[in-house]
Amino acid sequence: MDIISTPHATPPAGHYSQAVRANGFVFVSGQLGFLPPVQPGEPPRLAQGVAAQTEAALRSLTAILQAAGTSMSAVVNVTVYIPDVGMWNEVNGVYERSFVDHRPARAIVPTRELHYGALVEISAVAVAPQA
């Protein structure tokens, strides 16, 4: 098992890794829509609006996958959390532009609220070469 970390994505704010590579897969922790750059010890700043936060979360996801030696085209499963089901269409529009023709399995989960007042959180599993 390998711990994946990159300065090009939001650093963990708790006792977890940005991602873990195991058995040919990369498991990426939930990414919120923080603006880059986020330095360790600095308070995170969220992008304004659900579309901008979705773009920022997917940008972090992309950076983490690249650090693991894989890419968005290798993603097999995505979970998206939103605090209001009314945000579904806006999130889905940004998501479609990021994945283009690639269609991994996905769940969008309406939840009560997200940490820091975020409007979206995205986690993913991707296929990756063994280290």
Side-chain angles (χ1 to χ4, degrees), residues 49-63:
V50 70
Q53 285 188 28
T54 303
E55 289 169 0
L58 290 168
R59 186 173 38 251
S60 284
L61 175 65
T62 300

Side-chain angles (χ1 to χ4, degrees), residues 25-111:
F25 291 96
V26 175
F27 301 86
V28 181
S29 295
Q31 299 300 302
L32 300 177
F34 291 121
L35 294 168
V38 177
Q39 301 300 321
E42 272 187 22
R45 294 178 305 123
L46 288 168
Q48 294 297 309
V50 70
Q53 285 188 28
T54 303
E55 289 169 0
L58 290 168
R59 186 173 38 251
S60 284
L61 175 65
T62 300
I64 293 166
L65 291 171
Q66 288 174 344
T70 191
S71 68
M72 294 287 273
S73 65
V75 171
V76 294
N77 190 23
V78 177
T79 305
V80 180
Y81 301 93
I82 53 176
D84 180 350
V85 74
M87 298 174 174
W88 184 305
N89 287 337
E90 199 168 354
V91 169
N92 194 57
V94 174
Y95 179 93
E96 283 182 31
R97 288 191 300 277
S98 295
F99 281 97
V100 190
D101 293 328
H102 181 55
R103 293 177 179 248
R106 180 186 77 181
I108 294 185
V109 183
T111 185

